[in-house]
Amino acid sequence: MKLFDMHCDTLYRAYTENSNLYNDDFHISFNKTDGISTYIQCLAVWIPDEYRGKAAGELFDGCVSLLQRQTQDGNILWCTNSDDIKRADRENKKAVLLTVESGACLQGNIGNIKRLADIGVKMMTLTWNGTNELGDGVGVTENNRGLSDFGRKCIKELEKHNIIVDVSHLGE
């Protein structure tokens, strides 16, 4: 069996709970994937709505640092392009793609999109449930304004850097 899962928060949880990607208490644990011939998991750095500015950036950086440590032994392949995905499939590897859940990690700086791309981020939701610099999330029920002007500019920049724009938490 082959499996490609588009989302889980295990990376965030492993970081915030000082754990790792092999923790059997998590819904997604790489210990539980041995029966899967090719397993590719999109790992999200979830930025909760209470994290903004420097705190959001530090949370993102901490999660990335954990992912770098967890993939350096080669047991999990960190995919940054389609050739990596093909290699994972060909070699029946466990693999990850890095994603971000909330554009708050940009800290209001559109230049950080290039930094995300350089690190290997492949997909980003613009908001989570609340409001950030890019717009209003689905949890904003009164006067939801959708995307901000900054959010619209970010979409163009994300596309320029081949980062998939995920609108799953964006308000109407």
Side-chain angles (χ1 to χ4, degrees):
M1 176 173 82
K2 297 179 182 191
L3 180 64
F4 191 118
D5 183 11
M6 294 296 290
H7 179 82
C8 82
D9 294 325
T10 295
L11 179 58
Y12 164 83
R13 188 169 175 201
Y15 174 71
T16 59
E17 295 181 22
N18 197 27
S19 187
N20 61 64
L21 301 176
Y22 295 92
N23 187 320
D24 285 337
D25 292 333
F26 296 167
H27 289 145
I28 301 293
S29 167
F30 283 89
N31 283 343
K32 298 176 185 176
T33 63
D34 289 339
I36 303 170
S37 63
T38 300
Y39 175 60
I40 302 174
Q41 179 65 62
C42 292
L43 290 175
V45 176
W46 174 46
I47 310 293
D49 282 333
E50 57 270 16
Y51 284 76
R52 293 294 179 262
K54 184 178 178 184
E58 289 174 350
L59 176 59
F60 173 80
D61 290 343
C63 288
V64 169
S65 178
L66 174 65
L67 182 59
Q68 288 170 333
R69 290 191 307 274
Q70 292 284 290
T71 57
Q72 73 186 49
D73 64 5
N75 290 327
I76 300 173
L77 177 63
W78 183 347
C79 297
T80 59
N81 58 51
S82 61
D83 288 339
D84 290 340
I85 293 170
K86 290 173 188 172
R87 176 179 164 214
D89 185 39
R90 187 175 57 251
E91 296 177 9
N92 296 320
K93 298 278 279 184
K94 297 176 185 186
V96 298
L97 279 90
L98 182 61
T99 71
V100 181
E101 191 171 3
S102 175
C105 70
L106 299 176
Q107 304 173 62
N109 180 351
I110 200 166
N112 281 330
I113 292 173
K114 181 179 181 334
R115 179 175 177 266
L116 295 183
D118 289 346
I119 288 170
V121 171
K122 303 315 297 175
M123 181 169 55
M124 184 177 85
T125 60
L126 302 177
T127 63
W128 190 56
N129 290 340
T131 299
N132 67 22
E133 300 89 349
L134 284 77
D136 291 338
V138 70
V140 179
T141 56
E142 292 187 31
N143 300 317
N144 189 310
R145 297 161 293 155
L147 283 174
S148 67
D149 289 339
F150 178 70
R152 287 180 182 85
K153 291 175 186 172
C154 285
I155 288 174
K156 291 178 183 175
E157 194 70 11
L158 289 162
E159 290 175 342
K160 175 181 165 186
H161 290 284
N162 296 315
I163 297 175
I164 296 168
V165 176
D166 180 348
V167 297
S168 60
H169 286 269
L170 189 61
E172 290 183 32

